[in-house]
Amino acid sequence: MMQFNLKNWYLTLSLLLGIFLCLSCESNKKLASYEGVKHKGVCWVGSRNPLQGGELRTLQNLGVSHLSQTPFGWQKSVTAPELSWEKDRKKSWWGESSNGLISTSDTASSLGLTNILKPHIWVRGSWPGEIAMTNEKDWDLWFENYKDFILYYARIAERQGIPILCIGTELEKASHKEKEWRDIISAIREVYHGKLTYAANFTEYQKVNFWDALDYIGIQAYFPLVKDDKVPDLAQLIAGWEKVIPEIEKTNRTYQKPVLFTEIGYCNTEDAAQSPWVWPNERHASNLSEEVQALCYEAFFEAVWEKPWMQGVYFWKWYPEPSGREPDFTPQNKMAEKIMKRYFLDPKPTDG
């Protein structure tokens, strides 16, 4: 009996030692730093009608270097495996059509802006994070349809020479299907030779297991920065980021990939930092505040922007012409625009 217990003790000790060494090796991994030029981006809103000219020039003056464009696919419900997109529809907004994407891309390139193509799925009455099939047959059909959808845009990106493609956005209940996503990534790489990312929701990115097959860890960075309903100051917002950053760095160390904030944004309301993801039409009871929106921008730049793993950021969102909607995410003609300009044009060496 004593010999048996001693044997178990040695086995347990060996196991614990192995776990300790594994964790130690993981924690000792260096942070993966960003490569090349740091992305200073905005998420472009496709216009209903063709651009008149000059709409993109404003971005040059603000130090913007990258432009994210968003074509859409449509899904009738979160459990419906069928998808439709441009090829199935007679009408769509010009800026979201392939002709509009190509024209906007050409204009952006002529001004020295780098394009990123970031297709989204629009789900009636919900959002992409709730897409989940009810059986394996429907999952197979959904992934078959999704592969056709993303390859359609991958081919456009290849023909147009768009250097970055986002393979999906906020598909939180679908991203656990690792084999299916790896199959899609392989299919994309057969027709597209640029760099790839996936735009994981801030609640999802740590659960994604296929980052190694991509070039960037993409995060939709709508992290809540404060918990109470008091109007925050800059120090409180930075403290909120300091709680988030170690978890991002853990993923960065594990996969050794630089991080892109494929989206980040804040409404011009006092409660913007509590739940940044909440849509403007759900904030009509909130007090407007350009000051809080601007502080949220400043907190990002002070806490995150110069981290070695930070490949870049895309602020949601930028209209060809200011919309006048209140409240809204856009920093256009607001205090937040000045903050963005100041840090994007900062002469300190943030570019590699």
Side-chain angles (χ1 to χ4, degrees), residues 76-114:
K76 290 182 179 179
S77 73
V78 295
T79 58
E82 297 81 12
L83 290 172
S84 64
W85 58 96
E86 181 184 43
K87 69 180 183 60
D88 306 304
R89 300 168 73 93
K90 293 181 179 179
K91 292 184 178 180
S92 63
W93 281 26
W94 176 85
E96 296 169 4
S97 69
S98 56
N99 287 338
L101 294 170
I102 290 168
S103 177
T104 304
S105 172
D106 284 340
T107 302
S109 295
S110 72
L111 296 171
L113 300 174
T114 300

Side-chain angles (χ1 to χ4, degrees), residues 17-205:
L17 182 60
I19 292 172
F20 172 78
L21 289 173
C22 182
L23 291 174
S24 178
C25 289
E26 188 68 29
S27 64
N28 286 332
K29 278 186 179 179
K30 290 184 179 180
L31 292 170
S33 59
Y34 73 85
E35 304 168 346
V37 174
K38 184 169 284 195
H39 302 197
K40 302 172 182 177
V42 295
C43 299
W44 185 255
V45 178
S47 57
R48 187 186 296 271
N49 300 307
L51 299 178
Q52 299 303 303
E55 292 92 343
L56 288 164
R57 290 192 180 277
T58 301
L59 297 176
Q60 282 184 307
N61 300 328
L62 298 173
V64 172
S65 64
H66 285 65
L67 193 75
S68 173
Q69 293 195 75
T70 302
F72 284 95
W74 289 271
Q75 192 166 325
K76 290 182 179 179
S77 73
V78 295
T79 58
E82 297 81 12
L83 290 172
S84 64
W85 58 96
E86 181 184 43
K87 69 180 183 60
D88 306 304
R89 300 168 73 93
K90 293 181 179 179
K91 292 184 178 180
S92 63
W93 281 26
W94 176 85
E96 296 169 4
S97 69
S98 56
N99 287 338
L101 294 170
I102 290 168
S103 177
T104 304
S105 172
D106 284 340
T107 302
S109 295
S110 72
L111 296 171
L113 300 174
T114 300
N115 292 279
I116 172 173
L117 194 58
K118 185 168 173 280
H120 285 224
I121 299 297
W122 186 274
V123 190
R124 184 176 298 172
S126 189
W127 67 294
E130 289 297 319
I131 292 174
M133 301 301 104
T134 58
N135 58 70
E136 289 304 312
K137 182 179 178 181
D138 281 354
W139 269 123
D140 290 343
L141 181 56
W142 186 85
F143 273 104
E144 181 181 334
N145 290 330
Y146 190 85
K147 181 185 287 187
D148 289 343
F149 164 72
I150 198 64
L151 287 177
Y152 179 87
Y153 289 105
R155 292 186 177 98
I156 291 175
E158 178 70 10
R159 291 196 302 269
Q160 188 63 15
I162 294 174
I164 306 162
L165 174 69
C166 183
I167 70 166
T169 301
E170 296 176 354
L171 294 162
E172 188 162 357
K173 291 187 176 179
S175 61
H176 70 284
K177 295 277 190 177
E178 183 179 350
K179 178 184 180 299
E180 288 82 351
W181 282 104
R182 289 187 182 275
D183 289 345
I184 284 175
I185 292 165
S186 295
I188 292 170
R189 292 210 184 270
E190 289 181 7
V191 301
Y192 173 74
H193 297 90
K195 294 197 172 184
L196 300 179
T197 189
Y198 169 73
N201 198 42
F202 71 96
T203 56
E204 171 197 8
Y205 76 96

Side-chain angles (χ1 to χ4, degrees), residues 269-306:
T269 56
E270 288 184 351
D271 60 358
Q274 295 170 37
S275 46
W277 62 88
V278 172
W279 209 242
N281 60 10
E282 298 176 40
R283 294 184 184 270
H284 290 306
S286 303
N287 294 323
L288 293 178
S289 176
E290 283 190 31
E291 291 80 5
V292 170
Q293 183 189 36
L295 283 175
C296 289
Y297 272 63
E298 189 169 6
F300 160 76
F301 281 112
E302 287 295 313
V304 184
W305 183 236
E306 293 194 36

